[in-house]
Structures are given as structure tokens and as C-alpha cells.
Amino acid sequence: MPIYVYKMNKQISTNAIRNTKPVKAIYAKEQEQEAVCVWGINLNIVPFTYTKSETSITITGLKNGVNMQHLRVPEAIEDLPVTLITYDAFKNNTVLKSIKLPNSLNSIGIRAFQGCSGLTSITIPDSVTNISGSAFRGCSGLTSVTIGSGIKFMDSYAFYGCYNLQNIYVTDIVAWCGISGLEGLMEYGSSNK
């Protein structure tokens, strides 16, 4: 049985954890944020499925039974940088409301977030150079996108069907002008620096 402790708690009474089931982990948790294990033995609390190469980690999806609304992809898993979210990784996940992408990420695969209608905003880190086809297609709840300075290529269908997209923010206007495939995103909203 896990125990969740919210950020504002300063201490836990020794009498607070009395039950008939053994405590396997204690997690720190903030409002609308993922839980982080602060105590536990041999626990794998990473909610993602992934593959590992000699030099990097690729996120392939969520573990069975994970239904979290707010996710943060770590910069590293097993001491290797997370560099790719692969095709279909979060496809049609309507529970997901927010996801924080790491600064280690290089690429977002085909249909990675397609149909994630609960997402309202997304920030693409400066480290990302490529957003593949239909990556955010049909994310009907998406109202704002922030594009990092590293983007070199964005498939013209990456944001297809994001009809509620109102604001597109850029961190580097020079980099913005050099993005290949930008026309697909510019069908929506307005551009702001």
C-alpha cells in the first residue's frame, strides 16, 4: 500500500500510518503534479514504458493501469537521457491534461499525442529539433503552444485538427522563421513573441 503526502505537510505522526497492510512506499505529491517516491525499497515508480539503447531512452507509452492527468517526463531514466517520445506513445489518451517535456528531448514521433483531447497547452523544449506527422493531431482542447528555439522541422500535419488553438508562442523569432513545415501550425491562432 502506498502513502501520499502533500507538499504542505511538515511532519507525519508515527500514529498516522497504522493499518493492516504493509507500507511499500511513501510519495511526495503536489496539487496536480505527479507523485515522487521519497521512501521505498526496490521500487520502479516510473509510470512510462520505454526502450533503452546504449546512449538514450525512448518513451513508448504508459504502463498498464496508469491513468494520470498530469505527467512529467524525466530528463533521464536509468542514468540515460530521454531523447525521444516514439510513435503512438500517448495516442488517444483523453485523461491526460498536462505533460511537461524534458530538456533532454530531441524528437516527438508520429501520432505521439494524437487525440489527446484533454491537453490544453504544450511547451516544446529548446532541445527538440523535430516534431513528426500528426504528433498533436486532433488535440481539440489545445489552446496554446510554445515552440522552443531548437525546432528545425515540423510536419505540416503535426497540429492538424487543433481547431481551438489560439496562441502560438515562440522563444526565438530567428529560429521560428527557419522552421520547415511551419505552414501547418500557422493555420491556427496568432503568433506571439
Side-chain angles (χ1 to χ4, degrees):
M1 182 188 91
I3 292 177
Y4 295 91
V5 180
Y6 284 82
K7 184 179 181 181
M8 299 308 292
N9 290 358
K10 301 295 182 194
Q11 68 181 36
I12 303 172
S13 165
T14 55
N15 291 325
I17 308 173
R18 288 191 183 208
N19 57 55
T20 57
K21 295 182 180 177
V23 174
K24 293 185 179 178
I26 295 178
Y27 295 87
K29 186 169 180 149
E30 290 187 51
Q31 198 73 20
E32 297 189 351
Q33 296 296 321
E34 75 288 345
V36 178
C37 186
V38 292
W39 178 85
I41 299 172
N42 295 326
L43 292 173
N44 181 5
I45 60 160
V46 176
F48 307 101
T49 56
Y50 57 90
T51 58
K52 180 172 68 169
S53 73
E54 289 183 10
T55 58
S56 66
I57 296 287
T58 296
I59 299 293
T60 58
L62 289 172
K63 291 180 178 175
N64 286 336
V66 173
N67 258 340
M68 297 170 77
Q69 294 181 351
H70 307 279
L71 288 169
R72 181 184 62 84
V73 178
E75 296 218 1
I77 297 174
E78 296 186 39
D79 295 324
L80 292 171
V82 174
T83 60
L84 171 65
I85 296 177
T86 195
Y87 66 93
D88 295 343
F90 300 97
K91 183 179 178 183
N92 296 327
N93 183 334
T94 57
V95 173
L96 189 61
K97 291 185 176 178
S98 71
I99 188 161
K100 182 171 173 49
L101 302 176
N103 291 323
S104 58
L105 196 65
N106 296 331
S107 186
I108 299 173
I110 296 170
R111 301 179 304 271
F113 294 95
Q114 178 177 319
C116 292
S117 56
L119 280 179
T120 57
S121 67
I122 191 75
T123 297
I124 308 299
D126 291 341
S127 58
V128 173
T129 60
N130 179 69
I131 301 176
S132 299
S134 299
F136 295 94
R137 183 178 190 145
C139 291
S140 56
L142 206 56
T143 59
S144 71
V145 173
T146 301
I147 304 291
S149 62
I151 291 288
K152 303 289 186 251
F153 173 79
M154 181 186 312
D155 188 273
S156 58
Y157 286 97
F159 290 90
Y160 184 81
C162 296
Y163 299 116
N164 290 308
L165 187 54
Q166 299 167 13
N167 295 298
I168 302 163
Y169 301 95
V170 296
T171 58
D172 184 336
I173 195 66
V174 174
W176 172 257
C177 294
I179 296 173
S180 175
L182 188 62
E183 67 278 0
L185 180 58
M186 292 307 295
E187 292 178 11
Y188 309 104
S190 57
S191 173
N192 302 286
K193 184 172 188 299

